[in-house]
Amino acid sequence: MRPEDLAMLRVPGALDLHDDLLLADVAHPDLEADAYRGSLWRIPQDGPPVRFTHGDHDTAPRISPDGAWVAFLRASGGGKPQLHVMPTGGGEPRPVTDLPLGAGAPVWAPDSRRIAFVARAPEPGRYGTEEGVGAAAEAPRRITGFRYRGDGVGFVLDRPQVLYVVNALADIPLPVALTDGRCDVEAPCWYGEHVLVSAPRDLDPESLHTDLYAVPAGGGEPVPVVRGEGSAALPTVLPDGHVLYLGTEFTGIHAVARNIGLYRAPLRIDADPAAGTRLTEEESVDCEALPPVPVEDGTLVAVRVRGAVELRLVPHGSAGTPLEKLPVVLGERASVKAFASYGGRTVAVVSSPEHPGQIVETGSGPDDPGHAVPGGRVIADFCGPLPGTRPLREITAVAPDGYPVHGWLAVPEGQGPHPVLLNVHGGPFHQHGWGFLDETQVYAAAGYAVVLPNPRGSAGYGQSHGRAVIGAFGTVDADDVLALLDAALAEPECDPERVGVMGGSYGGFMTSWLAAHRGARFKAAWSERAVNAWDSFTGSSDIGWYFAEAYCGPDAETQRAMSPLYHADRITLPFAVVHSEEDWRCPVEQAQRMFVALRRNGVPAEFLLFPGEGHELTRSGRPRHRLQRFEAVLEWWSRHLAP
């Protein structure tokens, strides 16, 4: 895969299924327009997909309970996404909202007329709500709490996320705000004449704990209905008056590296909030943040497992059930990105190392083995085979303390030995794995062997594995990364004399850390959107006010000891500092401080700064910036890993 092949990535996103109607949104980067384009497609059980809408960028299809209507989001001409509705039999989409900052994904009421959604509501006089007043002329913001901005969003204190309900079939649809904006609300779900939402505990925007609230659809105060030990999100109401949701358990600020579980709780509006029962074991089961889907035999959830995201069944009657007792439905050695089920039929978007996403139906495959996948069959593929993709080779190692380490190696075509890139993932409670990663394919196509480790701190190997780096950044995680690198370098295709290290976010931290402490092992480093100094991260990141202490502890000297910036005097190898101007997760000062420290020490350092981008540049940044970044990466490594 070449950098310009980004334009070939036509990937399904959200799915919805009702009777025999299966809809998916499919998006792709348009390099010429420097934008993302996409439409809704209808996927028949047999036969090719049929385009269902023709907007610039249509997403989030939702079919009404009676099967007569489809609601979706449409962003036209680079504008904000607005809610639209059209008949399932086809026709002209009708706009339902015209909100200044756009609308969120629709959720139909049981009456197939009303729709609930969340949207950011701007404070009067801001964000273009007052004619002739631009951003630079707005009044100053009065900030009184920690949560006043968010990466990828911007300031949030003056545009809270509010719950709305609209009669989508009215002659003149008029969205009505049901919450007052004192805090953000998320994930609406209908419960009779109420809408359930997830919101901070006691509606306090400073709380890391989230509970479930019932908001009267006709207006009124939110009522707490579920209060757990930590977080509660993505509710799904059951016919028996219970609610399923995803949640975690923690106290205080210690919300990091917690496995997400499936919970069940009774719903009673007129009683004290219920405490949910955890249906999955905390240690072994870590659910992906996708809504749980009830089916005949239990509940479907997506679970992170050793680099895979598998669709698993939580059987009825479960309580603290461990991973090995949850049957795999789909996704072995793959990554489930979305799924839906209706009337005994289950479909999913499944990504593999060599494919960004196909729509798969569970069950036995057809006679044509080309359409069969483990657990089902491919019923739609919008991308087709990508040129030059390489498979992943699973590798294992043992750390110096005897701990097992797991990861992958992608090897280029042709005779080696090839130069090697050690690519560390972000998070750190995240994972490399069996899903498609465009970076791996681009680097392998350019002639590099790519090593993808999941060290301690990663997700998918048990909660204790993820929490092993609490107060210990740069110790066992660094040992694990290097152990897996050594295992890869033992392969004949890999050249141990030409090795580079790279990564983003936590991976950028690890790149900086290894450059300082094990720099002799590498020819150069590419450190992207990195955490380099926990002290300033605490006050500058949108999550720094709790994240730094939760991972590193409150002691300032301990935080400095775990900060690559304060070890920069040890770095001598060529070093690329890469960042985005509007990154508020790992703010640009993290890059600036490291770059200045390196240059003052005489290190051959370069600073690549992308305008207008946030922390998610490599995944959802402007298409041209993603292309330019790939070109810069390959140019850097061609200079430093050439024979």
Side-chain angles (χ1 to χ4, degrees):
M1 178 180 171
R2 303 163 301 173
E4 57 269 29
D5 291 335
L6 280 171
M8 299 176 63
L9 300 182
R10 285 168 165 76
V11 185
L15 296 171
D16 202 20
L17 175 64
H18 185 283
D19 290 332
D20 63 349
L21 177 60
L22 171 60
L23 296 177
D25 61 38
V26 181
H28 69 278
D30 185 333
L31 291 171
E32 184 175 344
D34 198 20
Y36 291 91
R37 307 295 191 194
S39 303
L40 306 187
W41 290 74
R42 180 171 185 160
I43 318 299
Q45 286 188 274
D46 295 297
V50 178
R51 192 166 179 175
F52 192 74
T53 66
H54 297 269
D56 290 341
H57 195 190
D58 297 341
T59 59
R62 299 292 186 272
I63 305 168
S64 62
D66 65 4
W69 303 94
V70 177
F72 63 96
L73 298 177
R74 168 168 288 180
S76 300
K80 301 294 184 181
Q82 302 292 348
L83 186 59
H84 286 64
V85 170
M86 64 181 290
T88 53
E92 187 67 23
R94 178 191 184 210
V96 174
T97 64
D98 185 19
L99 298 171
L101 300 181
V107 180
W108 285 98
D111 62 13
S112 296
R113 298 184 62 86
R114 291 171 296 173
I115 292 175
F117 63 95
V118 296
R120 294 207 170 271
E123 186 178 286
R126 296 195 188 277
Y127 304 105
T129 56
E130 185 175 341
E131 188 174 352
V133 178
E138 291 178 357
R141 293 177 172 88
R142 187 179 301 276
I143 298 167
T144 58
F146 294 125
R147 287 186 164 177
Y148 63 91
R149 60 180 180 170
D151 185 70
V153 180
F155 287 101
V156 295
L157 81 164
D158 50 18
R159 46 176 167 179
Q161 193 156 267
V162 171
L163 173 67
Y164 290 85
V165 166
V166 61
N167 183 345
L169 305 187
D171 291 339
I172 303 177
L174 295 174
V176 176
L178 297 184
T179 56
D180 58 13
R182 76 187 84 170
C183 64
D184 285 0
V185 301
E186 298 180 331
C189 171
W190 284 88
Y191 173 55
E193 286 303 307
H194 289 78
V195 182
L196 301 187
V197 293
S198 175
R201 180 157 299 167
D202 301 323
L203 303 180
D204 175 7
E206 301 296 286
S207 179
L208 290 175
H209 297 263
T210 56
D211 299 322
L212 299 185
Y213 291 80
V215 183
E221 277 292 303
V223 177
V225 290
V226 174
R227 180 170 180 151
E229 296 295 323
S231 66
L234 297 173
T236 298
V237 173
L238 297 173
D240 66 0
H242 285 71
V243 61
L244 298 168
Y245 63 94
L246 299 184
T248 58
E249 298 177 12
F250 63 90
T251 58
I253 64 167
H254 301 287
V256 300
R258 301 288 183 180
N259 277 355
I260 298 174
L262 176 67
Y263 290 75
R264 176 186 171 106
L267 274 178
R268 290 177 58 188
I269 304 296
D270 57 350
D272 291 338
T277 298
R278 190 163 188 153
L279 306 184
T280 55
E281 184 185 68
E282 183 177 22
E283 170 58 28
S284 63
V285 181
D286 182 24
C287 296
E288 189 83 342
L290 296 172
V293 175
V295 293
E296 183 178 357
D297 299 328
T299 302
L300 296 175
V301 292
V303 181
R304 298 193 282 191
V305 184
R306 294 179 61 83
V309 180
E310 298 175 344
L311 190 61
R312 295 222 177 192
L313 177 70
V314 182
H316 291 310
S318 293
T321 304
L323 180 69
E324 64 268 19
K325 293 187 177 180
L326 305 181
V328 179
V329 177
L330 201 64
E332 288 184 284
R333 301 171 74 88
S335 181
V336 172
K337 300 295 186 183
F339 62 97
S341 188
Y342 186 92
R345 183 186 179 202
T346 297
V347 294
V349 177
V350 180
S351 169
S352 67
E354 299 167 71
H355 200 291
Q358 299 169 301
I359 299 179
V360 175
E361 182 172 358
T362 59
S364 59
D367 295 335
D368 179 5
H371 289 84
V373 297
R377 66 184 184 105
V378 176
I379 59 174
D381 183 350
F382 295 88
C383 198
L386 289 169
T389 55
R390 303 295 295 160
L392 293 185
R393 181 186 305 174
E394 203 169 2
I395 56 175
T396 59
V398 178
D401 63 357
Y403 194 85
V405 188
H406 180 233
W408 291 265
L409 173 66
V411 177
E413 289 184 351
Q415 186 175 0
H418 305 283
V420 176
L421 296 179
L422 173 62
N423 190 1
V424 185
H425 65 67
F429 199 54
H430 189 55
Q431 62 176 1
H432 277 314
W434 294 111
F436 181 83
L437 182 61
D438 56 1
E439 294 197 42
T440 299
Q441 297 299 340
V442 167
Y443 306 152
Y448 300 94
V450 186
V451 183
L452 304 166
N454 277 344
R456 273 168 278 190
S458 303
Y461 299 82
Q463 184 166 278
S464 58
H465 179 94
R467 295 187 61 79
V469 296
I470 302 287
F473 277 144
T475 60
V476 294
D477 50 349
D479 289 342
D480 290 357
V481 165
L482 294 177
L484 200 80
L485 174 62
D486 286 337
L489 294 180
E491 298 292 323
E493 299 96 332
C494 297
D495 186 349
E497 301 301 319
R498 292 186 291 159
V499 182
V501 59
M502 66 185 301
S505 196
Y506 165 79
F509 158 88
M510 183 55 68
T511 297
S512 302
W513 186 267
L514 292 177
H517 294 85
R518 309 289 181 91
R521 300 204 54 170
F522 306 101
K523 293 295 186 182
W526 177 280
S527 180
E528 193 161 4
R529 59 185 184 279
V531 179
N532 289 312
W534 292 107
D535 51 5
S536 58
F537 178 89
T538 297
S540 61
S541 169
D542 63 339
I543 62 172
W545 59 278
Y546 73 90
F547 191 91
E549 182 176 338
Y551 263 115
C552 303
D555 182 69
E557 287 306 313
T558 301
Q559 290 189 10
R560 286 171 65 93
M562 282 188 273
S563 298
L565 178 68
Y566 297 106
H567 305 276
D569 58 328
R570 303 183 183 187
I571 298 176
T572 58
L573 74 169
F575 199 100
V577 178
V578 187
H579 226 91
S580 296
E581 285 185 354
E582 297 179 13
D583 188 335
W584 282 1
R585 181 60 40 87
C586 295
V588 70
E589 55 88 12
Q590 294 283 310
Q592 293 166 326
R593 295 181 72 192
M594 177 61 85
F595 175 68
V596 169
L598 293 173
R599 294 293 293 186
R600 290 184 68 181
N601 292 340
V603 174
E606 299 178 13
F607 187 10
L608 186 65
L609 184 61
F610 285 88
E613 298 288 359
H615 198 65
E616 297 298 309
L617 163 64
T618 60
R619 294 174 280 266
S620 57
R622 298 175 72 98
R624 288 180 190 167
H625 279 160
R626 291 175 64 187
L627 173 62
Q628 291 161 354
R629 175 193 166 273
F630 270 139
E631 292 171 341
V633 171
L634 296 181
E635 190 275 334
W636 172 261
W637 292 121
S638 71
R639 274 193 274 152
H640 297 292
L641 295 184

